[in-house]
Amino acid sequence: MMTLEQKEQIRRLAVVLTLLVPFAFVAFPYFWMTLCSFSSEKDLFSDRIIPLSLTISHYQELFDRTPFITQFKNSVIVAVLATIICLAVSTLAGYSLSRYRHRWSFEKVMLIIKSNSS
Amino acid sequence: MKEIPIEKKEFLFSYLLLIPLFIMVAVIALYPVVYAVILSFTDRDLFSTAMNFIGLENFQTLWESEEFWESVLNTFVYAGSCTAFQVVAGLVTSLLLVNRFRGNYYFRAMLTFPYLVPTIVAVLVFQWMLNDVFGIVNRGLVMVGILDEGVGWFDDKRAMFSVVLVSVWRFFPFAIMLFVPALEAIPQEMFEAAKVDGASAIQRFTHVILPHIKEVLFVVIVLRGIWMFNMFDIIWLLTGGGPIGKTTILPVYSYLQAFQEYEIGLGSATATAGLVVLVILMSFYFRVRRK
């Protein structure tokens, strides 16, 4: 006869093992992307699944042949500015919506969500 | 000078705080929508500024076009299946995540990852993984013996499946992010009471969990439904709406007409038609919400 604690442990193990399914679904594309980024062209376009050798040539190319630094800078600028503007506008509105009673205030919130969607 | 009463001051102040928001919504949301609706009644094309009002002719063209109805059908198939799979996958994963075990935190962090990558990255990775010759999916399935030979994941029969797969992968973490807090807010005593009363696992789900997360479930379904209905980037980058229009949903159809057929008016009419459907769905949402 199993004790209650053992039962609980088995249940936890079952939970973790089941969680590995969504975990694999989520993580595999990342794993594959990373692995491919270190594989040589020869391995990528062959029957092999596990690459023969690893290379960092793709990363060298990234810095040598593409304006990666500029693009990265652009991304940072867009992200920072968008965050600042968004925070400024939405903290003011959020304060007003939560602090004061408005008519249709829920609808206004939905309008905000909707306008930012997709 | 007359003193303004304090309530009135507060009232004015509360609206003052909302002004930036209203300006922003007006400029980036309202103006384009109104402009698109106006354009949908014109014969504007991409190359000229000439614009004649032609009434409902665009809508009549759409009504008689087979492609339009096909894309309407595709939209409902896509939005419906994406929303369903995302909600089910999100709910099942969340139910597992609220259990106590070691490493729980890492699972939660990892499972929100797809929501954080840029769409183009997700699309490129999946395009490579689903490549018919070199893709790992085909190779893996052949190696395990499920398939005799690789299949084209973006051919006319499977393109919709692939598009839905990528969309579910990318967006089901959103459901997790809303479901987990809702599930954790359920008082633990409810479960213990249900257990003492001899409720089975299914009964515990339908009688304890579902009533508690009903609201959140509803919000997730509606928001995901709307966003999937409006989805453009994943489909456009993954299949471009092809092959032969099998994955063309309304936003993609609208874009194709406006910028590849150069019929801005017709494209706007398609967008307006989609908007009308969404407004109907939204009003339904508000009606249920208000109850």
Side-chain angles (χ1 to χ4, degrees), chain B residues 3-23:
Chain B
E3 191 78 0
I4 305 170
I6 186 107
E7 293 94 40
K8 207 169 176 194
K9 234 185 207 166
E10 290 224 321
F11 177 79
L12 285 175
F13 181 60
S14 76
Y15 276 94
L16 190 71
L17 292 177
L18 286 173
I19 287 175
L21 177 76
F22 281 140
I23 293 174

Side-chain angles (χ1 to χ4, degrees), chain A residues 25 30 46 48 96 107 117, chain B residues 14 113 117 139 169 227 290:
Chain A
F25 177 56
Y30 286 100
S46 71
R48 210 179 306 285
S96 173
E107 267 81 341
S117 68
Chain B
S14 76
F113 259 41
V117 288
R139 282 184 191 173
W169 181 84
W227 286 343
R290 200 159 303 158

Side-chain angles (χ1 to χ4, degrees), chain A residues 17-41:
Chain A
L17 288 180
T18 324
L19 262 176
L20 286 178
V21 176
F23 177 77
F25 177 56
V26 161
F28 185 76
Y30 286 100
F31 165 73
W32 195 245
M33 177 174 75
T34 317
L35 186 69
C36 283
S37 77
F38 287 110
S39 315
S40 66
E41 252 102 25

